[in-house]
Amino acid sequence: MSAMLGLSYIIINSEIPMAVPEKKTAAAPHRSATLAVGDKNLSFPMLDGTEGPSVIDISKLYGESGHFTYDPGFLSTASCESKITFIDGDAGILRYRGYDIDALAEKSDFLEVAYLLLYGELPNAKQKQEFVRTITLHTMVHEQLHFLFRGFPRSSHPMALMVGASASLSAFYHDSLDINVPEQRELSCWRMIAKMPTLAAMAHKYSVGHPFIYPQNDLGFSENFLNMMFATPCEKTKVNPVLARAMDKILILHADHEQNASTSTVRMAASSGANPFACIGAGIASLWGPAHGGANEAVINMLREIGDVKHIPEFIKKVKDKSSGVRLMGFGHRVYKNYDPRAKVLHKTCSEVLAELGKIDEPLLKIAVELERIALSDEYFIERKLYPNVDFYSGIIYRAMGIPSKMFTVLFAVARTVGWVAQWKEMMEDPKNKIGRPRQLYTGARQRAFVPLEKRS
Ligand code: CMC
């Protein structure tokens, strides 16, 4: 490819002028990279973040050289500037607004983390109280949405309901659709965070043929969610606080993950000025895929298929045989080339939940633990830096709680909604926001003459 373009090399000019102190942020480039294209030397500014690799700003590359860059899957491309989440995949670090994920999971709660992601700081006591109250007041959905659900077959995958129901909110809440008004943007964020658990529980209730359970404003966020999932009008349930806390932790761990596929989808959809509810619907569609949020459901299916610890070696053999097309689900990550820090927290939470429910001998957990042990000592996985990811244990916890596997990705969507709206809000507030419009390397047919039907072979 480089020969084709006449592109010979990139030089990073890293001399920092004496007057420039330490690292500069994206606003103030202080180094440049030189790209030799044919006989031209082009210089591009380098931008430093607060942490992580610096980037080469190639936005003027096409104008100056007539060439695009080619980076399928965005392996080397930063699509935006963001202050929300930092990941160091080699070191296994994940931070929201500078706070380590394990500290947030252990010491904070989901709505506090939602506030942090949206506004950049942990709330003080008064701010927290107001925020929790605000979100609580938005948990109910328009009654008409009950009819939307009733239009779907009961056998629908709940993610199909979620894609439709989330986007349909734009038909109900016209007073928060003007993306140019900050107050309306904020109202949309609150509504999405508050209503997603209600929609998720409705998707579950609809699939099992139960009546919908309305949100209860005297319950905490996760407690209310579990209540809407499991209560019935005939039988009140008292949500087990250990399970509510575990759910809260799971939601925190899944809340944001910088520019992953679904978040990038939300940003891309929103870049055209589309309303936030429709954009979140697009994000949910992207999350549904088995390489992304659908993996936790796939993990349980895989563990069930393995069926017994004694079948693990045979399964691993299949995974290593590329022609089988079988992957070890819940293992590997585009960014983490180390143990996913979320998986660490979840492994512990999994043991706590199973102990609380008296299911510590759960056969699937035994298979998972043994599978992990074997994979982590196998050359195939070591060489490729494949470690358990967030989905490896979450499914076992959900299953123990009585949540059907089709709902797993829906729970991921409930949590990630916070990240999506925080990233959307950040993008809307960014003066550099432009419509997302990637280019391509065209390899199709050159111009040719139209052939009439009767002359085609
Ligand atoms: N099992 C077996 N081999 C694997 C796996 C796996 N789970 N993941 C990657 N590999 C191999 C892959 O075959 C390739 O081998 P080779 O170099 O010999 O061709 C090498 O590792 C690199 O894989 P890749 O597909 O180029 O890596 P990627 O960064 O494009 O893919 C991934 C990341 C998450 C899609 C992939 O690891 C995967 O499919 N994992 C299983 C699905 C899963 O658990 N997804 C949840 C991700 S975490 C939740 C989320 O953020 O949504």
Side-chain angles (χ1 to χ4, degrees), residues 291-292 295 322 327-331 333-334 380 384 389 391:
H292 192 5
K322 287 283 162 57
R327 282 201 165 192
L328 177 48
M329 298 312 284
F331 254 69
H333 198 277
R334 168 60 59 80
Y380 175 95
R384 291 169 179 78
N389 61 48
D391 289 322

Side-chain angles (χ1 to χ4, degrees), residues 29 40 64 125 127 138 194 225 238 257 288 295 397 420 429:
K40 260 201 217 161
E64 291 183 12
Q127 288 164 332
H138 284 287
F225 178 43
K238 170 88 187 84
H257 213 227
W288 195 354
I397 304 177
W420 290 330
E429 289 164 2

Side-chain angles (χ1 to χ4, degrees), residues 283-415:
I284 294 177
S286 165
L287 186 72
W288 195 354
H292 192 5
N296 49 17
E297 189 180 339
V299 170
I300 291 294
N301 295 338
M302 173 190 77
L303 296 176
R304 275 205 198 113
E305 196 190 305
I306 295 173
D308 194 292
V309 168
K310 67 174 189 267
H311 299 140
I312 294 176
E314 187 193 325
F315 179 75
I316 295 274
K317 213 166 134 196
K318 226 194 281 175
V319 167
K320 294 194 307 194
D321 170 10
K322 287 283 162 57
S323 66
S324 73
V326 176
R327 282 201 165 192
L328 177 48
M329 298 312 284
F331 254 69
H333 198 277
R334 168 60 59 80
V335 180
Y336 295 116
K337 301 302 168 198
N338 200 327
Y339 210 102
D340 180 339
R342 303 168 299 173
K344 267 190 198 148
V345 178
L346 275 187
H347 191 163
K348 185 163 161 261
T349 309
C350 186
S351 306
E352 287 163 5
V353 167
L354 294 182
E356 175 68 16
L357 296 173
K359 294 183 178 175
I360 205 69
D361 286 330
E362 161 77 35
L364 291 194
L365 177 66
K366 281 195 177 153
I367 300 174
V369 170
E370 184 58 8
L371 195 55
E372 178 184 339
R373 192 191 65 76
I374 294 182
L376 289 181
S377 56
D378 190 302
E379 237 358 86
Y380 175 95
F381 297 92
I382 297 171
E383 234 173 54
R384 291 169 179 78
K385 298 189 177 165
L386 300 170
Y387 293 87
N389 61 48
V390 69
D391 289 322
F392 196 66
Y393 285 105
S394 59
I396 299 172
I397 304 177
Y398 295 149
R399 207 177 111 96
M401 286 180 173
I403 296 168
S405 53
K406 281 191 170 173
M407 282 296 292
F408 293 178
T409 317
V410 174
L411 301 199
F412 197 153
V414 169

